[in-house]
Amino acid sequence: MMKPTNKNIKKAASIIRKGELVAFPTETVYGLGANAISSKAVKKIFIAKKRPADNPLIVHISNKNDIYLLAREVPKEAIKLIKKYWPGPLTIVLKKSLIVPPEVTCNLDTVAIRVPQNKIALSLIEQAQVPIAAPSANISGKPSPTCAKHVAQDFKNKIFVLDGGSTKIGLESTVIDLSKKPFTLLRPGKITLEELKKILGKVVVARHNSKKPKSPGMKYRHYSPKAKLILIEGERNKVEEKIRSILTKDCGVLGVNIKIKSKKTINLGKDHRTIASNLYSALREFDDSKITTILAQGTEDKLLGRAIMNRLRKAATKIIKV
Ligand code: TXA
Ligand code: MG
């Protein structure tokens, strides 16, 4: 893990230019970056993460205008979103240009692009002088890393990690597909569906469908701790009652704000921002304990809560509605 000094950022940029991998902080989660216009470099990401070969990557740029290099069509709605939300936790899917190698998009005709809002990330991209393809810097299927230590754990210290401390948001960026109509929310995040609708009008929400996913990333189980995670959804009191009734000595409890004693009870916080920023480190904390089952309390499925519930549902082996 390297302090994000100018010297180390410069070193990281030179590693990217040599076609190797670097992990770096963004405002959402840590990314595992490679030169996005080099097929050879991008392939290394898939190998290092054990990422399924059909799950495309997000291309990170430091200058909004570089979108015109990567996308061959930029609709006016995209320009509106960029003005308001870039740099920031919003990824836009557009029709790709020829410069983007097929390894980045897994042969799709579209490319996902964002400008992150983190000084270290922006400085790294600028100095690398190439766009950086970066998925979350975790082994595929694990919770995304929200601090440098998570990255070092997953990759056994074999990757150069710029340590920018804990990430601000803690959940991955919102992904919106503007490559065709109707515009589709592929992954909920900090920029909410409600906010996007204000600018775009109609937005459909891609439903989780393992057979025919709209975004390749949707079909995989994600963010999974080692223990089974049972998510209990419904009215607050009933959820608490249910958790108490199935709790055994091997269970942990992942609450929002719950008073249930167990072998390991973690409360994520009272408001959605705090819950979002604590979720992944909590899932990893359960990995370090001897819990076999995590009983998780859900939250409201709207605004930022929609992103939290999306991740909890994907992490869950079972969902109980009460
Ligand atoms: O916050 C973030 O977005 C972080 C940081 C590092 O920027 N990155 C991240 O990347 O979460 P990753 O690879 O874990 O998630 C990328 C998501 C996947 O669900 C993938 O399927 C989707 O974006 N995606 C990428 N390109 C796509 C495309 N052309 N069409 C549809 N979905 C795409
Ligand atoms: Mg990921």
Side-chain angles (χ1 to χ4, degrees), residues 24 26 28-32 49 51 55-58 60 91 93 104-105 108 110-112 114 134-138 144 171-173 175 177 186-187 214-218 222:
F24 61 96
T26 79
T28 57
V29 299
Y30 275 71
L32 181 64
K49 274 192 62 125
R51 185 176 177 96
N55 195 7
L57 308 175
I58 296 172
H60 298 68
T91 296
V93 174
V104 170
T105 65
L108 294 176
T110 55
V111 60
R114 88 177 186 101
S136 48
N138 51 285
S144 294
L171 295 180
E172 305 84 350
S173 62
V175 182
D177 185 352
L186 297 177
R187 180 171 72 184
K214 288 259 173 20
S215 179
M218 295 175 74
H222 272 302

Side-chain angles (χ1 to χ4, degrees), residues 222-251:
H222 272 302
Y223 322 118
S224 314
K226 286 182 200 147
K228 277 196 301 187
L229 188 144
I230 302 177
L231 175 63
I232 297 104
E233 293 186 27
E235 200 250 311
R236 205 189 154 81
N237 292 335
K238 286 190 184 154
V239 169
E240 278 207 38
E241 205 177 292
K242 186 74 187 175
I243 291 179
R244 282 181 206 282
S245 77
I246 51 183
L247 189 74
T248 67
K249 65 172 186 17
D250 298 320
C251 289

